[in-house]
Amino acid sequence: MAARRALHFVFKVGNRFQTARFYRDVLGMKVQAGLECSGVISAHCSDYTGITEDSFSKPYDGKWSKTMVGFGPEDDHFVAELTYNYGIGDYKLGNDFVGITLASSQAVSNARKLEWPLTEVAEGVFETEAPGGYKFYLQNRSLPQPSVWLAFIFPLNYFCACKLELQGIKGAVEHAAAFGRIAFSCPQKELPDLEDLMKRENQKILTPLVSLDTPGKATVQVVILADPDGHEICFVGDEAFRELSKVDPEGSKLLDDVSVISTFVSPWA
């Protein structure tokens, strides 16, 4: 039976080669799936989720790609979606994303071995950065499987079981250009009710409920909302999404191939 579950968080990246190295070689994540697309970004240009971080919110023209990385399949793991727009070398960071805390002694060991910069900010906790400036906090401890905690200045904290904690802050939330999107799934039949609830409560709907067709695969329904501070929240129909989010065994090789090519065709890659 379909259930409500957290899926992924979207990051915009400007250096795909170094970003892939960080997530795979330092953090120890694996490529789950990927997509290359040419031409104007469109909600219909996808064989994975049907949308990208920028499909509805930014008018980027040109080639783009996205890569899903994580510690396991998105069916039962929270993953990261890395969106790369060709020709965009960097994005201005706002104050809306604090960082990701990852409990993994292996990640700490990997960073030391590869001489990736680490700064100890507390006993057994090391601060580092992914390419582009996104903060990561690596806890030097072992768990049955790596534990991920995302912190936002909404602020909300997201734990692997979708635990949300609200905290007060001073000043306004500034998303700048690097803002991301968190995605959840729920039974498809619940999406219309979710949209109706947002309308009744006079909340912002960024993309009304839409069906996205993928030739030869499932048609997924999507609605994209905004919280009061402007964070984007995407809900997709769980049943169809499970088919679209299957692991691609060639994903890592494809990422390596396009990353090498992009280092030659783009001065920012």
Side-chain angles (χ1 to χ4, degrees), residues 59 84 88 92-93 117 130 135 155 174 202 249:
Y84 173 73
I88 307 297
K92 182 180 178 180
L93 297 176
K135 298 286 187 182
E174 298 292 342
N202 295 317

Side-chain angles (χ1 to χ4, degrees), residues 11 22-23 26-27 29 71 93-95 97-109 111 116-130 133-141 143 146-153 157-159:
F11 295 95
F22 177 77
Y23 279 89
V26 177
L27 299 185
M29 294 184 179
F71 293 107
L93 297 176
N95 67 357
F97 183 80
V98 178
I100 295 179
T101 296
L102 175 64
S104 170
S105 57
Q106 185 60 55
V108 175
S109 176
W116 201 277
L118 289 176
T119 301
E120 190 166 15
V121 294
E123 185 176 357
V125 179
F126 299 87
E127 179 183 299
T128 189
E129 286 187 5
Y134 298 109
K135 298 286 187 182
F136 280 74
Y137 299 91
L138 308 181
Q139 296 180 352
N140 192 16
R141 60 193 181 101
L143 295 173
S147 176
V148 181
W149 188 311
L150 282 75
F152 304 86
I153 288 256
N157 290 330
Y158 167 76
F159 195 56

Side-chain angles (χ1 to χ4, degrees), residues 3-257:
R4 292 176 181 264
R5 60 194 178 98
L7 299 175
H8 57 260
F9 188 80
V10 180
F11 295 95
K12 297 187 184 79
V13 303
N15 188 322
R16 185 162 50 178
F17 178 78
Q18 285 296 328
T19 297
R21 181 169 180 253
F22 177 77
Y23 279 89
R24 289 188 300 188
D25 298 344
V26 177
L27 299 185
M29 294 184 179
K30 295 181 180 180
V31 175
Q32 306 299 316
L35 169 69
E36 283 285 313
C37 187
S38 299
V40 178
I41 284 183
S42 164
H44 303 288
C45 189
S46 174
D47 64 5
Y48 184 60
T49 62
I51 58 171
T52 69
E53 160 64 19
D54 302 307
S55 296
F56 299 108
S57 57
K58 291 290 183 180
Y60 294 121
D61 294 339
K63 288 187 64 180
W64 59 271
S65 77
K66 63 179 177 180
T67 304
M68 314 304 292
V69 296
F71 293 107
E74 199 165 1
D75 262 6
D76 50 17
H77 291 76
F78 188 80
V79 305
E81 177 180 320
L82 310 178
T83 295
Y84 173 73
N85 294 291
Y86 281 80
I88 307 297
D90 58 72
Y91 298 89
K92 182 180 178 180
L93 297 176
N95 67 357
D96 57 345
F97 183 80
V98 178
I100 295 179
T101 296
L102 175 64
S104 170
S105 57
Q106 185 60 55
V108 175
S109 176
N110 293 343
R112 287 170 170 164
K113 186 181 302 183
L114 296 171
E115 299 184 346
W116 201 277
L118 289 176
T119 301
E120 190 166 15
V121 294
E123 185 176 357
V125 179
F126 299 87
E127 179 183 299
T128 189
E129 286 187 5
Y134 298 109
K135 298 286 187 182
F136 280 74
Y137 299 91
L138 308 181
Q139 296 180 352
N140 192 16
R141 60 193 181 101
S142 297
L143 295 173
Q145 65 179 24
S147 176
V148 181
W149 188 311
L150 282 75
F152 304 86
I153 288 256
F154 168 56
L156 61 83
N157 290 330
Y158 167 76
F159 195 56
C160 55
C162 197
K163 175 183 177 182
L164 303 179
E165 295 180 0
L166 305 183
Q167 304 172 7
I169 62 170
K170 296 180 180 179
V173 174
E174 298 292 342
H175 295 289
F179 69 93
R181 170 191 295 150
I182 193 167
F184 297 90
S185 72
C186 67
Q188 181 173 306
K189 65 181 182 181
E190 295 182 5
L191 291 175
D193 292 337
L194 180 61
E195 182 180 48
D196 289 342
L197 176 61
M198 291 290 287
K199 292 177 180 178
R200 292 198 303 272
E201 296 295 328
N202 295 317
Q203 298 298 315
K204 190 171 184 178
I205 298 174
L206 299 176
T207 301
L209 183 59
V210 61
S211 294
L212 301 175
D213 295 323
T214 302
K217 294 187 179 181
T219 296
V220 64
Q221 289 193 321
V222 177
V223 61
I224 302 178
L225 316 173
D227 71 19
D229 282 318
H231 291 89
E232 294 191 7
I233 308 170
C234 177
F235 282 90
V236 302
D238 188 84
E239 299 88 342
F241 187 84
R242 286 184 183 273
E243 179 180 335
L244 296 181
S245 61
K246 292 179 179 177
V247 174
D248 181 357
E250 296 295 316
S252 189
K253 179 181 183 301
L254 293 173
L255 175 61
D256 288 335
D257 291 344

